[in-house]
Structures are given as C-alpha cells and as structure tokens.
Amino acid sequence: MLSALFARCSPRRIPALLCLPLFHQQRTSTSESSQPLRANSPPPLVAPLKRQLINYAHTHTATTARFFQPTSESELQHVVNEAHRRRERLRPIGSALSPNGMGMQEAGMVSMEKLNRVVRVDEARQEVTVEAGATARQLADALDPYGLTLPNFASLSSPQIGGLIQVGAHGTGVRIPPLDEFITGMRLVVPGRDSALQLSPSNNSQLFNLARVGLGALGVVSEVTMQCVRKHRLRECTQVYTREEVRASHAARLFSHKHVRYMWMPYSEWVVVVTSDPDDDDDDNNNNNNNGAGMTTVSPQQRFHATSELRKLLEGIRNSGGSRDKVNYDTASCVDLRDELLAHAPLDASFVRRVNIAESAYWNAITRSGGGLWRHGWSEQILGFECGGPQCVYELCFPVDISPPFSSSSSSSSSSSSSSSSSSSSSASSCDIEFPLRLLDAIEANNLPAPCPLEQRWSAGSSSLLSPAHSRSPASTVFSWLGVIMYVPLRRAAAPLATTTTADSFAEDPRIAEDPRVATQRYFNSTYLPLVDRVVQSVLGNECAAHWAKIEVPQVQSPAQQLLHERLEGRYGRELLRKFSATRAQLDPNGVFGNAWLDAVVPRCSM
C-alpha cells in the first residue's frame, strides 16, 4: 500500500555550502522556487563508539558498543542501511531527555547531535529548515539575526528539534498547538534506500501526518522545515490563588492570556498561577535593553526572606546530623532547597507534606506584595522554567470542553481582569479543573508523599495522527496537560525510606535500603501511578493519552499493560494503531528502530 506512496517521494538535495553552521550570519536567498541538490558523494564510514548514557531524569541508563555520530545525512543513511543489512537494532537518540528512556537501546544507538546545522531561513515566509539534531536553544539563537523565533517553547531549551516533534512535545497556550503542528516539511531516513524520504502536506501527506509524531519508529528524522514567528517579548506574572479562586475564574483566565501554567500544591490550599502575554512596551524594551535580559521586581534579599521556611527545615535536619547537603543557604533557590530537602526523606509522607507547605509559603511571600512576581524578557527566556532535579514523571493530555466566557474582542491580557472575572464563568468545573482537584483529594486522603507541584499547561490541537493532542479540528480544540512527579535522590537518603502507604511487595524489595533511586521509582510506579489511573478512569475515562516520553514500560501481559493498550485504543483508535504498526513494518521490515519500550507500548503486530 505504501510502496506507491514512496515512489512519489522524490528526494531533493541541498549542497554542502547551504548547510550553514548554527549562528552563521549569512542569509540564504528566499526567491528560489525549488530546493537545490545535495552532493551525491559516497558516504565515509562512521566508526561506532562505546558509550554509556544516562537520561536527564536519572531513571534510565544504557551502555552500547555501537554508538554512531554521523555528521551528514548521507552518513546517517549509510549507518541505517548497514544496521538493516546486518539485522542489528539501532535506535535514534537525541538529548536523552525523555524520562522513560524511549530512545535508549543497548544493541545500538545513532546520535543526531552533530546534525545540527541551519540549512536555510526564509524570512518572507517565516520558515526555517534545520537539521533535526539542533536544540531549541541553538535554533532560537540562530534565528535571532533574522528577527524570528520558535512559536513556543517547552520547559527546557536543550531538547533537539527532532526529538521534540517525535514525542509530541508542547509548551503552553490555549491557542498554540504542540510543536509538531508547526512542521511543514521533513526528511525521514529509512532502511534500504539511497536517500531520505521527503515528506510534506503536499508530498505524501498521509505518511507526513503519521511520521511527524513517529516515536523514532518509522525512521530517523534528519531535517525539518518549521514555521516560525516574529521574535517578541513577553511580560510574565506569577500569582498565588486558593483552589476555589482558581476554579471560579479559570475559563476567563485561560482565554485572557497567551500562556497559562498552574502549579497545584498537594497538602496546601494554594495554587501558583503563571501567565505570560506580549509586552505592550516591546519597542521601548528593544531600544533600551538590546540584550533582552529578563527583569524582575524581586530583590535577592526578598528571595532570601521568602525561602525562610524551607531553610528552617533544612537547618533542623542539619542540626540533627541528618543532612548531607552542600547548598549555599544564602544563594540557593526555592527549587534547590526543595530538592535538597526531598533527598533527605523522599517517601516520608509527613515530611514531604511539611516541605510542600514550606514551598507554598515561599510562593506566597514572593508574590503577595506588589501584585505578583513580574518578569519581562524574550519569549525563549520567559517560557522555560525550573523543573527541579532528576524525577519520575507522568503526564496526561486530554481534551477540554471549554470556551471563553466573553468575546475575543473584549479579552484582556492583564492579570487583574482574570482574578476578578468569576461572575463570567460557569459554576460547573470543566474537566481540566475537576481532574487536578479530585487527584489532590485522593493524594491527601491516601497520605501519599507527593511533592509539589502537579504542573498543568494547555495547548490547541494537532493534526499529527499520533499526537496526544490530535484533533480533526486542531485550531478550535483545547487540550490540557497535567503532570505528576516524584524527585529522584541521587544519593542514599539520610533518613529511612519509610512511607505509611507502602505495599508489602514494595517493602520486601531489598534494593530499597540500598538505592533511593530504585525505591522512589518503584513507589512511583507501584503506588502513585495506580492512584492517578483510578482518578483518570473516574473523571476522564479513555479520553486521554499519556505523553509518549513519559510512559514507562509496563510488565508484559500485566494489568498495567492491558490498561495502557485500552487507553491507547480509546484515544487513538485501533485502526490507527494498526496503521502505524503496518507502516512501521513496511518502512522498517527488520525492526532496526525497535527497543523494549517501543515493542511493549506499540507492538509491531496488530493490536
């Protein structure tokens, strides 16, 4: 079926001279109607390296003697073809940021790190063509001389562009889709070919919509063309509300601001609300602050005072001889102090509750004076945020039946309007408010050691078929993304790893006393996630999908795997999953790009 489609994928080629290094100031012509040709010289051999990798979350490691770092698409194609010929597995790996280690494969990995060049920038169309190994930060810097930037940013700026789209990554903004929706063209390296497939909405559109979020299973994305926006500044306001205040003005707030993020705090009534909007003084700021450095209204002395409750907790542990911290109390941030505290007793629910309350005191102190905490800066500076240290994380995406309680022409971007508009919203909560509130109730009723925050963002839909936010009407559909976390201590805890909700099978594991990472991961997967799933079933049913990079491998033929497959079928449909499996078999008949995660979550056989 797909062979006829592939025949139409005529590879277009780009000369080496147009593969500009990042930060190159030369501007390529935007008047050419067709892409130039790539050089067709035989690729040099790429020697494999021995490499040990650990992901950003410190939850997965892999050691391989077949780690490849091609520097061109032709080298990449050669490496893939050799793996195909030898029937050896070779998983594409980006920045190793996925919490579930979905890119790891000890049999072999191919890194995109050195395929990070900007190919061309079309200023008139506001488009950039870039190799898939460029990070979001590198691409934003490369676009700066052209007055362009990415449409949105995830929490971190270090993920590679290819990895961001393959897992369906997102930022926040009720009218802004996930990043894959901004891809207008891509090149896909698959086994057994001389050159990459060229995909776009007009060139093999079905495969294009399937491969944009392709999980690294259909091929290696070597190059993407992406829609950009004009470089712009944002004004961010961080405020603290009670849970009921958030519920009352939620719809108005969500549609009044370009970017909205909530941080729900277990065992505290407070919710941190972060909103960002275009800076009305953008021109003045550009003239007076050319380096675009972010500004804040909070002094170091105010921040030091705001962290007093967290420092008191840490000082108490230090005085009792139980602390091994090395943080500087005078300069440590709230996130640094929280990480240090949780490393002391990550599974002690009573202690975690005290840490959460101390953190809520910080946010109250830092935001209550002056109408909130304000920052001004370029969008790439404002939209990223501190995620904390290594962590287990699970994030769900689900559609929200919500609409603005006022016309778009009357919407305001000021934070004061959103906090006083509760009369405009319906008394009934939408599921994006009901779900976190019910989850908080369950966490607190079951005395789980759940740290702050439950982090929530929103997006518009995506036309990519395997995007968690897939919609047939992406521009008019709203999705919410809610993540739960447990921080992973990187050293043995000073206090016993005790919890009042530990299951017998968990307590019998001898590794718990030896490795706090094992203990935390085991607890997160065996106790925390089942509770989350119970709340999901009662509030959302199967109308939700987990973020692909945050689905851990379930035990084969376990209830967890059955629930995962039921939820995948409920969200994406059995027919689409079979189509993905069939396409994978067609493009990669020898299973080169597979690994344990992919084979367990989306098997090659029909589901």
Side-chain angles (χ1 to χ4, degrees):
M1 174 183 66
L2 293 174
S3 58
L5 298 176
F6 297 158
R8 298 202 301 268
C9 296
S10 55
R12 300 178 181 177
R13 309 180 183 279
I14 304 166
L17 291 177
L18 288 186
C19 292
L20 303 179
L22 287 169
F23 316 118
H24 200 291
Q25 301 301 309
Q26 178 181 348
R27 304 193 181 195
T28 59
S29 172
T30 60
S31 61
E32 298 174 348
S33 59
S34 62
Q35 299 179 16
L37 298 178
R38 289 183 184 269
N40 196 23
S41 57
L45 292 177
V46 182
L49 306 171
K50 186 173 183 178
R51 188 66 57 88
Q52 182 178 27
L53 279 77
I54 183 167
N55 68 336
Y56 174 82
H58 284 251
T59 54
H60 292 273
T61 61
T63 301
T64 181
R66 297 179 59 250
F67 186 83
F68 297 91
Q69 290 184 303
T71 60
S72 67
E73 187 184 272
S74 60
E75 289 183 4
L76 173 62
Q77 183 74 65
H78 176 71
V79 169
V80 169
N81 285 346
E82 280 297 293
H84 173 68
R85 183 178 66 83
R86 297 179 181 183
R87 296 181 178 269
E88 295 174 333
R89 288 202 158 186
L90 185 75
R91 190 82 172 123
I93 186 79
S95 302
L97 292 175
S98 296
N100 60 3
M102 63 183 290
M104 292 188 173
Q105 169 59 277
E106 292 197 340
M109 288 178 275
V110 56
S111 168
M112 298 298 292
E113 183 180 7
K114 294 185 178 181
L115 282 165
N116 65 353
R117 290 159 291 194
V118 171
V119 177
R120 67 174 61 78
V121 174
D122 188 327
E123 294 181 79
R125 300 179 63 179
Q126 296 185 23
E127 279 188 346
V128 61
T129 299
V130 62
E131 291 179 323
T135 67
R137 175 75 267 171
Q138 288 173 325
L139 183 53
D141 289 343
L143 289 171
D144 181 69
Y146 304 94
L148 299 173
T149 192
L150 302 183
N152 210 345
F153 289 86
S155 55
L156 299 173
S157 60
S158 52
Q160 295 177 7
I161 298 300
L164 284 170
I165 68 168
Q166 284 293 280
V167 302
H170 63 98
T172 190
V174 72
R175 296 182 177 91
I176 307 174
L179 295 174
D180 55 271
E181 185 70 359
F182 294 98
I183 301 302
T184 59
M186 59 190 289
R187 293 178 64 86
L188 190 70
V189 172
V190 299
R193 288 180 56 90
D194 293 332
S195 58
L197 300 174
Q198 179 74 41
L199 308 177
S200 70
S202 60
N203 188 14
N204 205 341
S205 61
Q206 292 184 12
L207 183 56
F208 173 71
N209 286 330
L210 190 62
R212 278 196 299 186
V213 180
L215 315 181
L218 304 182
V220 184
V221 178
S222 61
E223 182 182 289
V224 299
T225 299
M226 188 176 193
Q227 191 69 47
C228 302
V229 297
R230 288 296 175 194
K231 187 175 176 68
H232 58 283
R233 295 175 63 85
L234 293 173
R235 181 179 66 253
E236 176 191 86
C237 182
T238 302
Q239 296 177 299
V240 176
Y241 298 100
T242 65
R243 295 178 185 180
E244 284 306 311
E245 287 173 335
V246 169
R247 183 206 295 266
S249 57
H250 171 61
R253 180 183 300 109
L254 194 60
F255 288 94
S256 293
H257 299 280
K258 185 174 183 179
H259 306 276
V260 178
R261 177 165 59 95
Y262 290 172
M263 291 186 286
W264 303 87
M265 314 187 83
Y267 303 105
S268 170
E269 67 171 329
W270 301 106
V271 185
V272 180
V273 175
V274 184
T275 59
S276 302
D277 296 286
D279 199 324
D280 293 335
D281 300 324
D282 192 52
D283 291 338
D284 292 338
N285 284 328
N286 284 335
N287 293 332
N288 299 327
N289 189 21
N290 291 329
N291 64 4
M295 297 177 289
T296 179
T297 59
V298 179
S299 67
Q301 292 77 14
Q302 288 173 307
R303 287 188 181 275
F304 179 80
H305 174 73
T307 59
S308 61
E309 294 301 315
L310 290 163
R311 285 185 286 106
K312 285 178 184 177
L313 277 179
L314 203 50
E315 287 166 2
I317 297 171
R318 171 180 284 181
N319 293 337
S320 67
S323 176
R324 304 175 185 179
D325 67 274
K326 298 180 180 179
V327 298
N328 186 328
Y329 282 17
D330 295 333
T331 59
S333 68
C334 170
V335 170
D336 292 334
L337 292 170
R338 179 191 64 201
D339 287 355
E340 199 65 44
L341 283 164
L342 292 173
H344 171 71
L347 300 183
D348 186 330
S350 176
F351 181 75
V352 172
R353 184 186 305 112
R354 292 169 63 194
V355 175
N356 290 0
I357 292 171
E359 183 174 348
S360 69
Y362 163 82
W363 287 110
N364 268 289
I366 207 78
T367 61
R368 282 299 180 180
S369 61
L373 173 63
W374 291 87
R375 288 199 306 155
H376 303 258
W378 299 115
S379 60
E380 58 265 30
Q381 297 171 322
I382 295 297
L383 294 176
F385 54 90
E386 282 188 288
C387 297
Q391 56 198 251
C392 299
V393 57
Y394 184 59
E395 186 177 23
L396 289 162
C397 174
F398 51 94
V400 181
D401 185 11
I402 190 172
S403 57
F406 41 72
S407 65
S408 59
S409 60
S410 64
S411 64
S412 169
S413 63
S414 67
S415 60
S416 60
S417 66
S418 63
S419 61
S420 62
S421 57
S422 58
S423 60
S424 301
S425 62
S426 169
S427 58
S429 297
S430 54
C431 65
D432 57 332
I433 293 296
E434 187 66 20
F435 177 49
L437 289 176
R438 292 273 294 275
L439 182 55
L440 287 165
D441 288 343
I443 287 170
E444 293 161 4
N446 288 275
N447 198 30
L448 260 65
C452 297
L454 308 187
E455 196 250 349
Q456 189 171 22
R457 290 176 281 175
W458 288 263
S459 76
S462 168
S463 59
S464 298
L465 296 175
L466 280 184
S467 168
H470 171 68
S471 172
R472 293 182 178 179
S473 304
S476 59
T477 310
V478 176
F479 286 85
S480 182
W481 304 72
L482 183 78
V484 299
I485 57 173
M486 287 192 77
Y487 298 98
V488 179
L490 297 184
R491 62 179 184 274
R492 186 168 180 172
L497 293 171
T499 173
T500 58
T501 57
T502 298
D504 290 341
S505 60
F506 176 70
E508 291 171 357
D509 191 334
R511 297 176 299 170
I512 289 176
E514 300 172 2
D515 191 341
R517 288 180 293 181
V518 172
T520 305
Q521 289 177 253
R522 180 75 178 273
Y523 184 85
F524 185 75
N525 292 323
S526 68
T527 305
Y528 199 164
L529 292 192
L531 180 137
V532 173
D533 284 333
R534 290 195 294 272
V535 179
V536 167
Q537 288 300 114
S538 65
V539 179
L540 304 174
N542 285 333
E543 285 296 315
C544 66
H547 191 306
W548 289 110
K550 297 166 187 178
I551 301 174
E552 292 291 342
V553 174
Q555 186 177 350
V556 177
Q557 296 182 344
S558 66
Q561 186 181 44
Q562 181 179 353
L563 177 61
L564 170 62
H565 289 167
E566 289 175 355
R567 192 164 290 162
L568 289 173
E569 289 186 14
R571 178 68 185 93
Y572 299 106
R574 180 173 296 185
E575 181 180 351
L576 175 59
L577 294 174
R578 285 177 173 170
K579 177 181 179 180
F580 180 78
S581 179
T583 305
R584 182 183 170 196
Q586 179 75 36
L587 292 174
D588 182 19
N590 291 340
V592 169
F593 301 127
N595 65 356
W597 179 88
L598 191 61
D599 294 340
V601 175
V602 191
R604 283 169 59 86
C605 58
S606 299
M607 298 183 64

